[in-house]
Amino acid sequence: MKRATIKDVAALAGVSAATVSRVLGDRPEISGETKEKVREACVRLGYVPNAAARGLTGRRTHIIGMVVPDVSNPYFSGMATAIERRAAQAGYRVLLSNSMRNEEQELRAIDHFLARQIDGLLVAAISPQSQAKHRALIGNLPCVYIGVNHSEACSCVMADNAAGACEAARYLLGLGHRDILFFGGRETSRTREIRHRGFQQALAEQGVEGRQITAPGNVGQLRQWSYENALELFRSGKVPDAIFAFSDITALKIMEAAEECGVRIPQDVSLLGYDNISFAALPRIDLTTVSQRKFRQGEIAVGRLLEQIHGRRERTVDLLQPELIVRSTCIKKR
Amino acid sequence: MKRATIKDVAALAGVSAATVSRVLGDRPEISGETKEKVREACVRLGYVPNAAARGLTGRRTHIIGMVVPDVSNPYFSGMATAIERRAAQAGYRVLLSNSMRNEEQELRAIDHFLARQIDGLLVAAISPQSQAKHRALIGNLPCVYIGVNHSEACSCVMADNAAGACEAARYLLGLGHRDILFFGGRETSRTREIRHRGFQQALAEQGVEGRQITAPGNVGQLRQWSYENALELFRSGKVPDAIFAFSDITALKIMEAAEECGVRIPQDVSLLGYDNISFAALPRIDLTTVSQRKFRQGEIAVGRLLEQIHGRRERTVDLLQPELIVRSTCIKKR
DNA sequence: TACAAAACCGGAAACGTTTGCATAAAGCCG
DNA sequence: CGGCTTTATGCAAACGTTTCCGGTTTTGTA
C-alpha cells in the first residue's frame, strides 16, 4: 500500500515527472490538454506530493514553528487558534511546542524546529536570557516574538503593557483609591516589570506610592502561589483599597482567597485583572480587566511572519493598544 | 550563511558521510575515537541534521499530527498540552490543526499531514461522516481517535461518557429532582448523544421521563446559542428542577442567563456541568460537574500512538472512568 | 516555402540523508 | 605466519521532488 509518487503519475499520464511537477506548480509552459491528463492521473492515484522531498530541494517547507510557555493557558490557546487559522489560510502548517517556562526546553524546541527546516518561527520567550540565546540559533530565519520581546533587533507584536497598566491604574486612582497593591507575577517576568512600570507611572502622576508583592522567579505553580499569598494578605488584615492583579488568572485566585477569608469584592477591596480571558466576562466573575486582544495579536504575528518569509526583512514592531474593560469588581472608595 | 551538511562535518572530521550518519545514530559499529572526532566536528559547525532529507529516506519523521475542533477550547487545550509534552519526551513533535468543526477543513488538514509524512495521527473527529472519510485517506497510518470515536475499526481513547452521564444523572435523582432537563450540545454531536443516552438510562431506572433541548447541527457559536436558549427557558417560566448541561461551557452560559433572569442557582434550579474545565473550580462558579480527565486522556493517546508507530498493530480502546465532582450548584429538592 | 521564434516537454542533476554491500585492517587460532 | 572472523569504514544507490538546460514540434512571418 505504498503511496503513489510523481513517477507513477507521470507513467499513468504518459508524460515525464518534470511535466507533472510543472502541472502541480501550475506553471504556464504546459498545454491545457496535458494539464488535464495529469490532474486526472493525480486524482486517480490519490497522489499527494511528498513534502519531505519538496523541502529537500531547498524550497519552502510551508511549516512555521510556534513555541509558547503553555497552550493550556487561555491566553496562549486563544493566540494559538488565531495563529493556526491564519497560517492555514495561507497554506502553512504550524508545529507546536510548550516550553513550560523552561529555558532548556524552549531552546531544544527551537533547535528541533530548525532541523525541520521551518520557514519561520513565532515565539513567546520566557525570559531575556532565553531570548538572547535564541538569536544565535536562529540566524536570519524569519522570526517574530509574540507577547513579550527583549531585544531591539527582533520583530515583535505585543500589547502595550505599560500603557494598559497605566490606564488601568489611573482608573483605580480616579475611583479614589490610594493604597493600591500590585499583586503577583514572577519577579523575573519582563511582562510583569513593564506592567508594574505603567502602574507606577500612573501613581507617580498623583504623587501616591504603590506597594507590590511578587512571586520568586522559580515558583512552579504561579496559581498556587497567588492563592496562598492572597490568603496571607487577607489574613494579615492589611487589606489595601484596591488590588491590581498581574493577570486575570491571578485575580481569580485572589477572588478565591477573598471568598475564603470573608473579604468582599468589591465592597472591601476593588480588584482589577489583566488579559480579559473569556471567563472574566462571566456574570459570577465579572472582572474589571484590561484586554490584550490576543486573537488580533496572533493574526498580526502570522501576517508579519509571512511578510518576512516572502522577503521583507526590516524589523517590525506592532504595539496594540490594550483596552480597559470595566466590569463590576472595582468601585468608588467609600 | 548556509547550514552545514553532513558532508561538511565529514570533511572536517576526515571521515565519510556514512560514518557521520552512523555516529549520529549512535550505532555500535564505530570506534569510540571516531565518534569523538565526529561529535566534535558537529558542534564546531553547529550541525543540525536536515529532517527533510531524513524523512525522504523512508524512515521516521518523528512528527505526529493532531487535529482538534478548536484548541482555544479549554477541553482541547488541556489535552493538547498533555499530548505535546508526552510526545516531546519521546522525541516527537506535533503538528497542530484546528478543524473549527468543519468537515472540509478537517479532511484537508489530514491530507496535508499525510503529505508531510507524519508518523502518526491523533484526531478528535467532528462527526461520524467525517471520520468515515478519514479512513480512506489514512490507510494504515498509525492513528488514534481522541474524545470521540465512531468506528469499530479505530483505536481510541475517550472518557466513558455514558457512564459519566449516568452517574451524574443518578446523583441528581438522588437529590430528589424529577423534572430534569438535558440542555445543549449540537444534535449532530455523537458525544451529546452518548451523554444523553447515559442520562436517559439513569432516569429510566427510576421510571422518570427526561426532557431535552438541543442545538441544531449547524449553529456557529454554540455558546451564543446556549445563552439565548437558556434565557428563553428561564423567561418561559417552565424552569425544571435541575439542568444537566451538555458541557461546563454550556453550564456557564446557563448561569449567565439565570443571573440575567433572576433565577437563582442552586436555590431555584440545580445545575450540573460536564468536563470539569479549570474554571469550574472557582469559588464564584463552583460548578458540580463530571471530570473527563482530559490530561490523562492526552497522555494515554500519545502512548497508544507510539505503540502503534513502533509496530503494535492491534486496535486499542481506552475508556477512562469519569468522576463526579460535587460542588455547590446542585442541592436537594425542596 | 523557409526560417526564426514560441510553445511544450524530457533528461538529468541536485537537495541531504540512510543503508546495503564491499573492502581494508586488525585480531584470532592453530 | 597464513587463512578466517571481526571490526571499522567507505562507496554508491536510493528516497521524491524541482529546475536548469536543451531538444522537438508547432506557429508565425516574410
Side-chain angles (χ1 to χ4, degrees):
Chain A
M1 250 277 292
K2 283 189 51 54
R3 308 273 303 264
T5 76
I6 202 172
K7 289 179 189 163
D8 301 326
V9 176
L12 181 59
V15 298
S16 76
T19 302
V20 176
S21 173
R22 284 188 270 248
V23 172
L24 266 42
D26 204 21
R27 299 253 281 281
E29 68 263 41
I30 16 162
S31 69
E33 196 186 358
T34 314
K35 279 191 182 176
E36 264 323 298
K37 260 192 322 195
V38 172
R39 296 225 169 91
E40 153 106 19
C42 282
V43 319
R44 285 257 306 267
L45 294 175
Y47 170 70
V48 190
N50 180 317
R54 283 191 159 166
L56 236 204
T57 63
R59 306 184 35 63
R60 299 273 120 87
T61 55
H62 287 270
I63 294 191
I64 65 183
M66 165 171 128
V67 7
V68 297
D70 178 5
V71 255
S72 69
N73 180 315
Y75 176 63
F76 293 114
S77 73
M79 204 134 87
T81 306
I83 287 171
E84 197 275 332
R85 270 169 50 170
R86 272 286 262 119
Q89 280 167 16
Y92 283 75
R93 293 283 147 190
V94 2
L95 218 35
L96 170 71
S97 193
N98 298 112
S99 66
M100 302 319 281
R101 304 186 189 283
N102 178 127
E103 183 172 313
E104 192 199 323
Q105 283 187 56
E106 187 174 276
L107 290 171
R108 215 173 26 209
I110 292 178
D111 223 49
H112 271 114
F113 285 174
L114 292 177
R116 293 256 135 76
Q117 319 293 112
I118 54 170
D119 289 344
L121 188 60
L122 254 19
V123 14
I126 61 162
S127 74
Q129 296 76 34
S130 180
Q131 185 172 344
K133 293 189 187 155
H134 302 168
R135 305 279 306 146
L137 292 178
I138 292 175
N140 60 356
L141 180 83
C143 175
V144 0
Y145 284 83
I146 50 186
V148 244
N149 177 53
H150 319 98
S151 160
E152 293 298 318
C154 302
S155 286
C156 59
V157 5
M158 37 198 268
D160 189 339
N161 281 294
C166 193
E167 183 184 350
R170 285 197 189 116
Y171 170 69
L172 254 17
L173 290 163
L175 290 176
H177 302 297
R178 285 299 173 271
D179 178 16
I180 309 180
L181 172 67
F182 188 98
F183 185 104
R186 281 168 233 268
E187 61 188 0
T188 51
S189 155
R190 187 78 199 288
T191 304
R192 191 206 62 77
E193 184 190 324
I194 295 174
R195 288 183 191 165
H196 184 252
R197 188 188 308 149
F199 167 81
Q200 281 292 10
Q201 188 194 318
L203 264 58
E205 286 169 4
Q206 302 287 323
V208 345
E209 213 156 320
R211 287 200 270 155
Q212 70 168 319
I213 301 182
T214 59
N218 58 4
V219 304
Q221 279 291 319
L222 190 56
R223 300 175 189 203
Q224 185 62 22
W225 179 94
S226 303
Y227 178 68
E228 286 166 2
N229 284 69
L231 228 44
E232 194 173 317
L233 173 73
F234 293 133
R235 288 192 176 137
S236 76
K238 295 196 54 176
V239 179
D241 294 344
I243 300 178
F244 186 128
F246 166 68
S247 74
D248 283 355
I249 302 219
T250 302
L252 256 15
K253 287 300 175 186
I254 294 173
M255 277 190 176
E256 202 170 319
E259 201 100 3
E260 182 81 19
C261 301
V263 171
R264 294 163 309 160
I265 293 170
Q267 294 84 349
D268 300 330
V269 54
S270 283
L271 177 64
L272 185 140
Y274 209 109
D275 282 350
N276 193 32
I277 61 178
S278 63
F279 296 89
L282 295 168
R284 298 264 184 126
I285 305 285
D286 208 38
L287 179 68
T288 294
T289 185
V290 179
S291 167
Q292 291 223 57
R293 309 203 282 166
K294 51 188 155 50
F295 218 82
R296 189 85 195 94
Q297 278 187 53
E299 292 186 334
I300 293 180
V302 175
R304 292 300 190 192
L305 188 64
L306 291 177
E307 282 175 18
Q308 279 194 41
I309 291 174
H310 297 341
R312 178 201 225 269
R313 279 311 162 95
E314 312 100 71
R315 173 178 190 233
T316 59
V317 173
D318 293 271
L319 259 195
L320 275 75
Q321 279 315 304
E323 185 188 357
L324 180 67
I325 310 278
V326 175
R327 296 208 184 89
S328 69
T329 54
C330 297
I331 57 173
K332 264 195 145 45
K333 185 174 183 193
R334 305 121 303 172
Chain B
M1 251 274 290
K2 283 189 51 56
R3 309 273 301 263
T5 74
I6 202 171
K7 289 179 190 164
D8 301 326
V9 176
L12 180 59
V15 298
S16 75
T19 302
V20 177
S21 173
R22 284 187 268 249
V23 172
L24 266 42
D26 202 22
R27 300 252 280 280
E29 68 263 41
I30 15 162
S31 69
E33 194 187 359
T34 314
K35 279 191 185 178
E36 263 324 297
K37 261 194 320 194
V38 171
R39 295 227 170 90
E40 153 103 20
C42 283
V43 319
R44 286 256 306 268
L45 294 174
Y47 169 70
V48 191
N50 181 317
R54 282 191 159 167
L56 196 49
T57 62
R59 306 185 34 64
R60 298 274 124 85
T61 55
H62 287 271
I63 293 191
I64 65 182
M66 165 170 128
V67 7
V68 297
D70 178 6
V71 255
S72 69
N73 180 316
Y75 176 61
F76 293 114
S77 72
M79 204 133 86
T81 306
I83 287 171
E84 198 275 332
R85 269 169 51 171
R86 272 285 262 123
Q89 281 168 15
Y92 282 76
R93 293 283 147 191
V94 2
L95 217 36
L96 171 70
S97 191
N98 297 113
S99 65
M100 304 318 281
R101 303 186 191 284
N102 177 127
E103 183 173 313
E104 193 198 322
Q105 283 187 55
E106 186 173 278
L107 291 172
R108 216 176 23 214
I110 292 178
D111 225 47
H112 271 115
F113 285 176
L114 291 177
R116 293 253 135 78
Q117 319 293 111
I118 54 170
D119 289 344
L121 187 60
L122 253 20
V123 13
I126 62 162
S127 72
Q129 295 78 34
S130 181
Q131 184 172 345
K133 292 187 186 155
H134 302 170
R135 304 281 303 148
L137 293 178
I138 293 175
N140 59 357
L141 180 82
C143 175
V144 359
Y145 284 84
I146 49 185
V148 244
N149 177 53
H150 319 97
S151 160
E152 292 300 318
C154 303
S155 286
C156 57
V157 7
M158 37 199 267
D160 189 338
N161 281 294
C166 193
E167 183 183 351
R170 285 196 189 116
Y171 171 69
L172 254 19
L173 289 164
L175 291 175
H177 303 297
R178 285 300 172 268
D179 179 16
I180 309 179
L181 173 67
F182 188 97
F183 185 106
R186 291 181 172 79
E187 61 187 1
T188 51
S189 154
R190 187 78 198 289
T191 305
R192 192 205 61 76
E193 184 190 324
I194 295 174
R195 286 183 193 165
H196 183 251
R197 188 189 305 149
F199 167 81
Q200 281 293 8
Q201 189 195 319
L203 265 59
E205 287 169 3
Q206 301 288 323
V208 346
E209 213 156 322
R211 289 201 269 154
Q212 71 168 317
I213 301 182
T214 59
N218 58 4
V219 304
Q221 279 292 320
L222 190 56
R223 298 175 190 203
Q224 184 62 20
W225 179 93
S226 303
Y227 179 67
E228 287 165 2
N229 283 69
L231 227 44
E232 194 172 318
L233 172 73
F234 292 134
R235 287 191 177 138
S236 76
K238 294 195 57 177
V239 178
D241 295 344
I243 301 178
F244 185 128
F246 166 67
S247 74
D248 283 354
I249 302 219
T250 302
L252 255 15
K253 287 300 175 186
I254 294 173
M255 277 188 175
E256 201 170 317
E259 202 101 2
E260 182 81 19
C261 300
V263 171
R264 295 163 308 161
I265 294 171
Q267 295 84 348
D268 300 330
V269 55
S270 283
L271 177 65
L272 184 140
Y274 208 108
D275 282 349
N276 193 31
I277 62 179
S278 63
F279 296 91
L282 296 168
R284 298 262 184 128
I285 305 285
D286 208 37
L287 180 67
T288 294
T289 186
V290 179
S291 166
Q292 291 223 58
R293 308 202 283 166
K294 51 189 156 47
F295 218 82
R296 192 82 194 96
Q297 277 186 55
E299 292 185 335
I300 293 180
V302 175
R304 291 302 191 189
L305 188 64
L306 292 177
E307 283 176 17
Q308 279 194 42
I309 291 173
H310 296 346
R312 179 203 226 267
R313 278 312 162 95
E314 312 101 68
R315 174 179 189 232
T316 58
V317 172
D318 293 271
L319 260 196
L320 275 75
Q321 280 313 305
E323 186 187 357
L324 180 68
I325 311 279
V326 175
R327 296 207 184 89
S328 71
T329 54
C330 298
I331 56 172
K332 265 195 145 46
K333 186 174 180 194
R334 307 121 302 172

